[in-house]
Amino acid sequence: MLVTVRGAADISHSVSVAGQSAGGDSVTGVSGPRRRTDPELGRAALARALGADPPASAARADLRDATRYLLEELAARTPGRTVEVRVPPFGAVQCVEGPRHTRGTPPNVVETDAETWLGLATGRLGWAAGVASGAVRASGERADLSDFLPIT
C-alpha cells in the first residue's frame, strides 16, 4: 500500500508498507501515511479555526494546519489511491480503496476550499449540501465521500 500526502509548496511524501518513505527515511507507522501535521497541533488549529467567526477569518496558519490534519485523517481512515481530495492551496491526498490511477489527472477528484473542507470533515456541512451549492466539485464515479465524512 502506498499513500501520498502533498502540500501545495512541498514535494509529495509517499509511505510504503515496508515503513520507508520514497526518500528512504524511516517512518513511525507502517499502517498509514507519514504525517506532516502533528495530530495534537492539528486538533488545536482545528479548534481555533472553528472558533473564528466566520471560519474564513481564522489565521491562515490555523486554516492550513487544520486542513492538512483533516486530509491526513481522511487518508489514514480510508487508505487507497482511487480518489484525490484537493484543498488548494493547502494540500491534497489520495484515498479510498479501489482501482488506482498511475499517470495524469485521476478519474475521481474532489476539490474544495479550506472553509468548506473543515465544514465537511467536521459535520457542520453535509456532503449533498456542499455539492449542491457548488462549493464542492466532485467528478468521477467514486468521488462521493459521504460514506467517509464527517471525520471528527
Side-chain angles (χ1 to χ4, degrees):
M1 176 176 81
L2 187 67
V3 178
T4 302
V5 177
R6 296 183 301 186
D10 301 303
I11 298 172
S12 296
H13 297 284
S14 298
V15 178
S16 69
V17 175
Q20 296 290 318
S21 73
D25 300 328
S26 294
V27 295
T28 57
V30 295
S31 62
R34 178 177 168 189
R35 290 203 177 260
R36 294 183 56 231
T37 306
D38 178 278
E40 187 173 315
L41 295 176
R43 284 188 292 273
L46 178 60
R48 287 189 301 272
L50 294 177
D53 187 27
S57 69
R60 184 170 172 84
D62 287 337
L63 283 175
R64 179 198 63 219
D65 292 344
T67 296
R68 288 180 178 172
Y69 163 70
L70 290 170
L71 285 169
E72 291 169 4
E73 280 295 304
L74 177 67
R77 294 176 188 203
T78 59
R81 296 186 67 180
T82 300
V83 179
E84 184 164 293
V85 181
R86 301 172 179 169
V87 184
F90 300 125
V93 294
Q94 291 181 354
C95 57
V96 183
E97 288 186 21
R100 68 181 222 177
H101 72 282
T102 56
R103 293 184 176 194
T105 301
N108 303 289
V109 176
V110 173
E111 188 165 335
T112 191
D113 61 88
E115 183 178 357
T116 301
W117 172 244
L118 296 184
L120 291 168
T122 60
R124 293 178 178 212
L125 176 65
W127 176 260
V131 171
S133 72
V136 176
R137 292 163 303 287
S139 62
E141 292 179 13
R142 297 174 182 259
D144 183 342
L145 297 180
S146 58
D147 288 344
F148 311 112
L149 299 172
I151 297 169
T152 61

